[in-house]
Amino acid sequence: MSLKIKILLLSILPLVLVTTVVTLISLKEARQLSEQELETFERNLLEARQTELRNYVTITLASIAQIVADGNPRSVKTRQDVRHLLKTLNYGEDGYFFAYDSRGNSIVHPSQPDLEGRNLYDIQDVKGQYVVRDLLHIAWDGGGFHQYTWRKPSSGKEEEKISYVVNVPGLNWMLGTGIYIEDIATDVAKIRKDVDHNIRNTFFTVLVIVTGAVVAVALLGIAINVREYQMADLRLRKLAHRYVQVQVDQRRQFARDLHDGINQLMVSVKFRLELAREKLEKGNIAIERDLDKGCEVLNMAIQEARRISHDLRPSLLDDMGLRTALVNLMEDFEERSPAEVRCRVFLPDHPVPDDIEISIYRMVQEAISNIERHAKARNVSLDVWYHDERIWIEIKDNGVGFDTDLNSEGIGLIHMRERAELLSGDFSYNSRVGIGTRIRAYFPATINAADLA
């Protein structure tokens, strides 16, 4: 071996070692970051499903309360009406409601009708837990969640299940519903397997390149190190993007359920109360006062349901689209503000993904809220346009502004930045005291979680 080759190898060796060490560290960090995101994804998904269960039970209790209020809780007909209602309510492939009396007798069990009428107080699952007994205790203590194993209707196998149960006022029944956590575990396991497979393949690829050519490894090692860091970051973005899409879909469904279910029910009840009040004798003041109060409370509940539905996902987005929703937002702001408002919105011809739509709407909503509270502006403008496969947003005002060197980002600016970066976009702003503030951001116009998977 010539001296030049030895010198070349000796000179490149430290670079190779550094490249190898950096690559190993980056792979380790990618694995740790992936595990953290997986844990966060699994925890948030489980919490979202639990919140969904609680909301389903709350809505069902409202329907039961209406039936009980219209009849006698002790009558056979009232109880039959409630049983019929529970049997007709279902969601998803394995979602159903069940009910037991205080002694553990099964009253409603749509997935296993052969259990109805049987006393299951002492029934145990494969782990020895007294399922119905424990659920009854939780329901009588104010309601809550409980995990156990139960037969899954779609597979017929014993699977882990989380149920939310409460006591039904007036009937002295335990009402509950649950989800099987097998699907959550399967999704997380699949994602973990894919991440581990990608990291492992990348590691072996780097080793092969290192042993193949020393100089090439030194150069390619650095390139691969940077690429792998970007790939790890992209995988994290995919995971976060998928979670955002799940939230958007779930919130749309819940908003629709609120609007079409409980809201319509309460409107109907309100009209019935008003009709009853009109038919009462004018001399019965006490009854009229009770009915007046009932109408007032129902009206408040209707407004609250509408507010919740709008907060989850503005119905205008689904009904009229992003452009109309933004124009409506600016028109509402102009009506309640002395500022002169200009709004120009030009969107692409193809549909904008749901998560991009809601993020743009919330960003503009947050910016307008900040202007209304702090800016004291006389002129406000919103420009939205499509260019280079991106949707650009610019919001300007000539308000009081602020010194960006002296003031750190507020919670509103932080939220706007996170919304943009979470969906592979960008966010920036500048402001000067006495001049005003300009906010600019962009989102990719064609990003889709299914394409990223």
Side-chain angles (χ1 to χ4, degrees):
M1 184 181 293
S2 66
L3 180 60
K4 289 184 178 180
I5 295 178
K6 290 182 179 180
I7 294 175
L8 179 61
L9 291 177
L10 290 175
S11 61
I12 294 178
L13 184 58
L15 182 58
V16 174
L17 292 175
V18 170
T19 303
T20 304
V21 171
V22 171
T23 302
L24 292 175
I25 293 175
S26 297
L27 291 172
K28 181 179 179 181
E29 290 179 349
R31 187 182 298 276
Q32 291 175 345
L33 288 173
S34 299
E35 286 297 325
Q36 291 175 2
E37 285 297 324
L38 284 170
E39 292 174 0
T40 301
F41 174 78
E42 184 176 14
R43 182 173 60 254
N44 290 341
L45 185 58
L46 182 58
E47 290 176 356
R49 295 288 178 83
Q50 289 179 330
T51 300
E52 187 179 19
L53 290 180
R54 187 184 292 110
N55 292 332
Y56 283 154
V57 171
T58 300
I59 294 173
T60 303
L61 279 177
S63 300
I64 293 175
Q66 179 60 41
I67 296 175
V68 173
D70 291 341
N72 184 352
R74 299 180 179 275
S75 70
V76 175
K77 183 181 182 307
T78 298
R79 293 173 179 259
Q80 287 178 344
D81 290 343
V82 174
R83 291 180 69 245
H84 177 72
L85 172 68
L86 296 179
K87 286 185 176 182
T88 59
L89 295 178
N90 58 74
Y91 52 92
E93 185 178 12
D94 297 301
Y96 60 90
F97 290 85
F98 56 84
Y100 292 83
D101 64 17
S102 59
R103 297 181 179 180
N105 293 311
S106 177
I107 299 174
V108 177
H109 209 298
S111 70
Q112 294 176 268
D114 56 304
L115 297 180
E116 294 180 1
R118 293 173 53 186
N119 187 287
L120 305 179
Y121 187 81
D122 294 324
I123 192 172
Q124 295 176 280
D125 63 8
V126 294
K127 296 181 179 179
Q129 293 187 92
Y130 288 93
V131 178
V132 176
R133 183 185 303 181
D134 294 341
L135 290 174
L136 286 171
H137 290 165
I138 293 173
W140 302 152
D141 288 340
F145 294 95
H146 183 53
Q147 183 171 339
Y148 55 94
T149 58
W150 196 264
R151 195 185 77 177
K152 189 176 182 180
S154 59
S155 65
K157 299 179 180 179
E158 296 289 323
E159 302 287 357
E160 287 289 327
K161 183 177 184 179
I162 296 179
S163 291
Y164 180 75
V165 294
V166 296
N167 179 31
V168 181
L171 298 178
N172 200 29
W173 286 359
M174 174 191 69
L175 170 68
T177 187
I179 57 171
Y180 293 89
I181 63 177
E182 178 194 24
D183 295 339
I184 298 176
T186 301
D187 290 343
V188 175
K190 184 178 182 300
I191 295 174
R192 179 177 284 107
K193 182 179 179 180
D194 292 342
V195 171
D196 290 341
H197 179 72
N198 291 338
I199 294 176
R200 185 167 55 253
N201 286 348
T202 301
F203 176 75
F204 288 124
T205 300
V206 172
L207 288 181
V208 171
I209 295 175
V210 169
T211 59
V214 176
V215 177
V217 167
L219 298 176
L220 293 176
I222 296 175
I224 290 174
N225 174 54
V226 174
R227 176 174 174 76
E228 290 308 314
Y229 183 83
Q230 292 174 344
M231 289 178 63
D233 181 68
L234 180 60
R235 284 194 294 271
L236 297 178
R237 287 178 181 269
K238 290 178 185 177
L239 194 61
H241 191 275
R242 188 176 303 169
Y243 175 64
V244 170
Q245 185 63 43
V246 169
Q247 280 191 324
V248 169
D249 293 339
Q250 289 180 338
R251 289 190 175 198
R252 178 191 285 114
Q253 181 61 40
F254 186 52
R256 188 180 296 115
D257 290 342
L258 276 177
H259 183 270
D260 296 339
I262 187 172
N263 192 45
Q264 299 299 326
L265 177 63
M266 288 188 292
V267 169
S268 175
V269 174
K270 178 186 175 185
F271 288 159
R272 290 177 61 186
L273 288 174
E274 290 177 344
L275 182 62
R277 184 179 58 187
E278 293 175 359
K279 293 181 177 180
L280 286 174
E281 297 180 0
K282 295 183 179 181
N284 197 336
I285 301 176
I287 295 179
E288 287 190 5
R289 184 162 51 251
D290 290 340
L291 290 175
D292 288 340
K293 186 61 178 179
C295 291
E296 178 184 347
V297 173
L298 278 175
N299 191 52
M300 293 171 58
I302 293 170
Q303 297 303 320
E304 179 67 11
R306 289 173 178 169
R307 184 193 65 78
I308 294 173
S309 177
H310 184 272
D311 287 345
L312 288 171
R313 179 175 174 87
S315 59
L316 197 60
L317 275 179
D318 291 327
D319 297 337
M320 303 300 294
L322 178 59
R323 184 185 184 281
T324 303
L326 293 177
V327 172
N328 182 263
L329 186 64
M330 299 302 293
E331 289 177 349
D332 289 345
F333 169 72
E334 187 174 25
E335 290 179 0
R336 64 178 184 270
S337 169
E340 182 178 350
V341 177
R342 179 176 61 83
C343 178
R344 295 184 298 186
V345 180
F346 301 96
L347 296 173
D349 295 332
H350 59 77
V352 179
D354 293 336
D355 44 356
I356 301 297
E357 275 193 344
I358 190 63
S359 295
I360 291 175
Y361 183 88
R362 292 305 187 197
M363 180 176 288
V364 174
Q365 190 179 46
E366 180 67 30
I368 293 303
S369 178
N370 288 342
I371 292 173
E372 188 172 11
R373 290 198 303 264
H374 308 297
K376 300 178 181 178
R378 298 182 304 277
N379 294 284
V380 178
S381 67
L382 168 65
D383 290 282
V384 180
W385 70 96
Y386 173 69
H387 176 69
D388 195 21
E389 297 299 321
R390 295 173 176 175
I391 300 177
W392 294 80
I393 307 163
E394 185 176 82
I395 307 165
K396 295 190 294 186
D397 70 79
N398 64 346
V400 297
F402 61 94
D403 191 335
T404 57
D405 295 328
L406 299 179
N407 295 277
S408 59
E409 290 186 358
I411 189 67
L413 293 174
I414 292 175
H415 284 169
M416 285 188 277
R417 182 181 299 279
E418 289 177 347
R419 285 185 182 276
E421 293 179 351
L422 190 61
L423 296 175
S424 302
D426 189 48
F427 172 83
S428 64
Y429 67 92
N430 58 64
S431 182
R432 295 177 60 187
V433 176
I435 302 299
T437 303
R438 186 193 73 174
I439 292 174
R440 174 172 284 194
Y442 73 77
F443 292 87
T446 57
I447 190 169
N448 191 289
D451 295 334
L452 292 172

